[in-house]
Amino acid sequence: MKKLIGLLILFCIPFLGFGQTGSIIGKVTDNQTGEPLPFCNVFINNTTIATTTDFEGNYELKELPEGEFEIGFSFIGYEAIQKPASIKPGGQLTINVALVSLEQELSDVEIKASRDRAWERDLRKFRNFFLGNDNMASQCEILNPWVIDFPDDNTNNNFRAIAFQPIEIKNNALGYSLTFDLKEFVFTPQNSIISGATRFMELETDNSKTKQLWQKNRLDTYLKSPANMFRAMIQNNHNQEGFYLYGDKAGGSASRNLRSDVFSNELGNSIVEYKPENLVSPGKKPGEFRILMKGRIEIHYEKGYATVNTYKDAPYPISWLEVKGNYVNISSNGMVLNPKDVTFSGDMDKSKVSALLPMDYKPNLGDRIDVQLAKDANSLQEKVYLHTDRPYYYKGDQLLFKAYFQFANPELKRELSKILYVELISGNRDLIVQKKFKIENGQAVGEIFLPDTLKQKEYYLRAYTSWNRNYGPESYFVKALPVLSTYDRILSSDKPQDPDVPIKTSFVSDKESYGKREKVSLLVSLKDEDGRPVSANLSASVRDTHYASIIPESVNIENSLMLLEVPKNITTEKFNFPIEREWNVYGRFLNEKAKPTSTPFTVYLNNFEGMLELESDKDGNFVLEELDFYGPVDFAFLALDKKGRTFGSFELIPRLNPPFFVPSHIDFPKISTTNESIFEGMEEEEETVVLEQVTIETQKEDYTKRAIYGRADHVVSGDKLNRNGSVSDLLNSLKAQIPGMSVTTTLQIRIRGGATSANLSMEPLVMVDGAVMPSGPSARAADNIAGINPNDIDRIEVVSRMSSMMGDLGRNGIIAIYLKRGVSETPVLSGNTPGLNSLEIDGFGYGGSFVPFDYSLEEEHPEIDQRVTLYWNPYLVTDSDGGQVNLEFYTNDSDSPKIVVVEGLTIDGKPISATHIIPSKK
């Protein structure tokens, strides 16, 4: 991405307002002879308004709108010129010009002789810089390239071009023929200048579909253009048009390179919302405006998708705007009046001349201007669908998902829910796991680790928002989720059943079949009913059909996102559950007599790292407002009486979960049990279930037989660990019992050789009761272990080999900590302070930590690759230019076929669901 943008002194400007009009007349002659020049082109720059001179060299442009613009004159063999013109209502302006003949006009033979390979190479560069490098530019043709020449001293850092005649361009994407009088063309890594005058002529066609396509492309081009954004900013409806603006926060990151790739993390930290409502002021003349645009403005266009994402959770075209002098001067229709001061980078800098629209283009904006958005029960609907990386799992597995939302009115999505609840529910209707996830830009990405202690086989996965509850259980997402032991099997279907969705998906792989540990490259293409490329937001999973077979699923993205029919008599006034845009935790204070009372108190966060001063009301109630953290955090509450002594107790008010109803269409596949584990290297499960005595089962229990990482290489019981509260003592006592384990003075842990994993960590993966803890340069293994009360540890299992089933995260081994059953979850936080109430609050769920294997890296590889999920990417995007995205992954050691599942939504909310089978070499 360029640090400074290309300066395009040509704009996709909107229509001119035709009120009172005027005209221009004049005569065009030869500068030397004075002879009239018939058939000379006369046009208003950047419009379709044009005429030609008659035999006497006279011309007339009628019904011109009032205002200031340029009038262009071009004639073959003469130097093209532009003259300023100012039209007043009802006035007539006379402009006579005398064109200067070119000193030398090369013949076709001379031109062709002077064009060599170097010229052809420069012409290809010129096309990219002049027309652009997107799909629209590929549909443009320069009809007379021989009029373009390049200086001999051109370099990549200073590329220039000249044209001794107007450049003729045919734009098959927008349906225009352009005559471009090039005045200046310079491209450098810092900026670019394209200066000239443009005459537009509409192409002719009898094909109605082609006309409709041109109209659609013109409107799409205009809607995402700077002109539309500036026009909407004047009217304060830029958000409705899809433009959201952000500015650099004072004291935040000085460079975009230092930011993370998660927009929600940066918002409020390095960037803040930029609101232009109070920044628009009248200009120097009636109908002109000034907009204060200070600093670097980041522009998100949320009505489109971009293949190259700046942020994972913001898959939209993103641009940056910088204005010299801090003010953009514009006309009422969005035309920039000081273009040399305005520079764009990012998406708005990609399209050049190929995206030009004439100044008199009239977009149909009737459905976008002054639209009153109804906020009734029907228009405020939101429904959710979860795409999971597999249809079923094994105990201890990591479940990865992406949540897609359908909104009855997409214009209102920013006003709706920001919190999603995802739950694992047993066949007995018991809530096993509940996590909450942030909803960003109409989607959520997350993970849930399934406990390895699950006893049943049939579970349900449910997802909903607080607002969903007002519409009843039919608005929830529910699907059957078998959770198996490694000795269970599900009979595979012959082939997957794709829902009948309007978007067609095709797959093209680089080979017909693949062997073990072989790289797969797969091109996915989306097209609509008319064969046009589709812009879409996608997620894709690839799994091995031996470990996770193909099974029929009654729940799909199409039927899950169908909106409900809400009767008109249902109003939001009758709703009991609010729209959750922020996360609040409610609690109560009780005095020594267990009665609610009002009192000030202090809240300490995460081992006294932060502090809040709050007060309960007369009913003892209090609220922790706008909480925003991930994972569990310790909160300590302290109240003092008038004498300064601690008193009372605190309790959190549990959230009431909705009752669970099983939809009638939910079915579980038939599950059978064998005596052989599906994964190699795992011992056969001993038949302890037939023994009635609990004591015998306890003696026979194998701690590791159900763990997803297989058998542990070492198991250290809690009574053999130093548990005096110091993490360094705990780790050193563990190191003494694990061969090859080392702990540095800075508490860095090494179990194996220390290969760098894809998340840049050389440390082992830490798991607590089957849950994977965050890992990476900023989250050490020791930091994860330090948050655990050593006295609650039942045992620690250590895997000193590579664990292929955990993906690249298991490259450096695993430390799996198991806590005692039934122990208090109260952390060692309160110390010896009496009256300090310690409570743990579970924050938002993590966004998923899948990292695929890469066998091209020269690092140690596992002996057996038994990965079930080979690929998972919830951040895939295609755009309307090509409608394509490429997947790359490596196969495992199974010789079974692999199944690819792609799901998602188009920019206008149409569902996408497709599967593809990748054969294995036999």
Side-chain angles (χ1 to χ4, degrees), residues 39 46 104 144-145 183 220 320 437 528 546 561 653 670 699 732 746:
F39 308 110
N46 288 332
Q104 181 180 12
N144 58 340
K183 292 302 180 185
D220 290 345
W320 290 270
F437 298 88
D528 62 14
H546 171 65
L561 292 182
I653 300 175
K670 185 177 180 180
Q699 293 172 2
N732 285 320
T746 58

Side-chain angles (χ1 to χ4, degrees), residues 292-311:
L292 177 62
M293 308 290 280
K294 190 174 182 179
R296 182 181 58 198
I297 308 300
E298 185 167 298
I299 304 166
H300 293 209
Y301 180 62
E302 293 196 6
K303 290 191 175 181
Y305 287 134
T307 52
V308 179
N309 294 335
T310 304
Y311 306 103

Side-chain angles (χ1 to χ4, degrees), residues 77-130:
Y78 288 81
E79 182 179 350
I81 64 172
Q82 292 83 43
K83 294 285 187 179
S86 179
I87 296 296
K88 297 181 179 180
Q92 186 178 74
L93 182 67
T94 301
I95 299 180
N96 298 319
V97 299
L99 298 185
V100 177
S101 175
L102 294 173
E103 294 182 0
Q104 181 180 12
E105 183 177 359
L106 298 178
S107 67
D108 285 350
V109 175
E110 290 173 318
I111 290 172
K112 291 177 181 177
S114 65
R115 301 314 188 217
D116 54 14
R117 290 184 178 179
W119 177 84
E120 292 177 355
R121 183 178 62 250
D122 286 343
L123 181 64
R124 287 193 293 270
K125 283 185 183 179
F126 175 79
R127 277 186 54 91
N128 288 334
F129 299 150
F130 181 71

Side-chain angles (χ1 to χ4, degrees), residues 248-306:
D248 290 335
K249 182 179 179 180
S253 173
S255 170
R256 292 196 300 270
N257 297 328
L258 299 178
R259 295 180 183 173
S260 71
D261 59 357
V262 179
F263 178 69
S264 59
N265 292 344
E266 295 301 319
L267 186 60
N269 294 320
S270 64
I271 53 179
V272 293
E273 189 174 357
Y274 193 91
K275 297 181 179 180
E277 295 95 285
N278 302 320
L279 306 177
V280 179
S281 58
K284 296 180 179 179
K285 298 179 180 179
E288 295 182 2
F289 298 86
R290 302 177 76 206
I291 304 179
L292 177 62
M293 308 290 280
K294 190 174 182 179
R296 182 181 58 198
I297 308 300
E298 185 167 298
I299 304 166
H300 293 209
Y301 180 62
E302 293 196 6
K303 290 191 175 181
Y305 287 134

